[in-house]
Amino acid sequence: MEDTIILYPSPGMGHLVPMVELGKLILTHNPSFTITILVTTAPFDTGSTSSYISGVSTATPSILFHHLPTISPPSSLTPFELTFALPRLYNSNLRHALQTLISQDSRPKASVIDFFCNPSFEVFTSLGIPTYYFFTSGAGGLSALLAIPTTHQTVVDKIKDPNTSIDFPGVPPIPTPDLPEPYSDLEGIPYKSLFSAAISMPKSSGVLTNTFIEFEPRAVKAISDGLCNPSLPTPPIYCIGPIVANSGEDQDNECLRWLDSQPSRSVVFLCFGSTGLFKAEQLMEMAIGLEKSGHRFLWVVRSPPTDGGTKSSLAKPEPDLDVLLPNGFLDRTRGRGLVVKKWAPQVAVLSHGSVGGFVTHCGWNSILEAVGAGVPMVAWPLYAEQRFNKVCSVEEMKVALALEESEGGFVSADELEKRVRELMDSERGKRVRERVMEMRDGAKAALGEGGTSRVALAELVESWKKG
């Protein structure tokens, strides 16, 4: 146990995968460590975590998974509320598991907790375990989170005005409609949980964030200079990204074989995360826009939500493309377009030489994957902090173009056609492409020998070895 690092991710593939990749990175700096990942179970669909965990266990024996006993949360909470409420409900099981682990040997070197797991901070620290946070998004999002106590009153005053914006340190002004989802209810569990995390993080041993300094220099400087909350200490910040999962096992996928036959940088890839969904009317409109654009495309389509929302909490059946897409669409676009059902190996697709653009929901993992592959984006955010990410990626990092939405978030066929053409054909699209290639090179440098992210993680691991 004395050579163990404990990692505690939030449920769901979007948080589990970066935490596993963090564990692998730690092992590259010190192979003698054992990584123990504590796994909790959510009462909603979190992706195919069990097969993923099994694969990691086989490939990397130094990463151990410890499943905490499942709990039965209140049925009155929505999946979104549960994401924030579950860690507190798991605290007694967590404490018991940690006490058992500690009693078997000695104390772990350190623990790294997902920021969603903030309620566990008190458990780890009460047992004398040095505790760090892992913020799975970027420095801009971290800056806004740490600033919540100081911006709260401004948010209260402005939140109902859709024509105003909120200033956070180191990021562009964020229009109130683009604030992260928890801001929609300042009395709700999600916002209160973020407020609590903003108070606890400065007391931690440090905060790791999945970005690189060259990608978000203003936000990193704002945090390091203590501008987010001058009344609290500034925790050490470790920019250790981009952490992107390796999808080497997906190299024989149908869509990759199709991409092999397409011209260089000619294909627009449309994919919206593991849980992003569109209503049937929107899917129909997207198909019309793609056909009219004249561009080659690879499009991942999922069945529409049954509740009218934009994200799924339950596994969905395979989409019926004949019903969801315009009559004759698949025949008319055959050869220049490919529609795949439910899933595609995103990292491998973005890294393919035929892909020249990416229409994305702006999940942070997707943004980093696109930047790492040098692929410019069209930003189509759906939920969570994705609208915030859109503002930063368009206005600050300048690696994406924004879609114009009408009432209720609907995007017309004409608008999608226009943005695809702009990304692939225009001078503005060319500037975004050049910018994202600069950032691709910056990401490689940050992770390379002597790079900022590599040095930051090496220094952290070295401090654990000595501790």
Side-chain angles (χ1 to χ4, degrees), residues 332-347:
R332 289 192 302 274
T333 59
R334 195 177 307 282
R336 75 170 176 89
L338 179 66
V339 178
V340 297
K341 298 178 181 181
K342 296 181 76 169
W343 181 86
Q346 183 165 293
V347 175

Side-chain angles (χ1 to χ4, degrees), residues 11-50:
M13 292 295 277
H15 290 258
L16 176 61
V17 172
M19 197 66 98
V20 167
E21 293 302 316
L22 171 62
K24 292 178 185 175
L25 264 182
I26 291 168
L27 289 172
T28 64
H29 287 277
N30 188 1
S32 67
F33 278 157
T34 296
I35 306 293
T36 297
I37 299 181
L38 303 178
V39 180
T40 54
T41 305
F44 49 84
D45 181 36
T46 54
S48 52
T49 53
S50 55

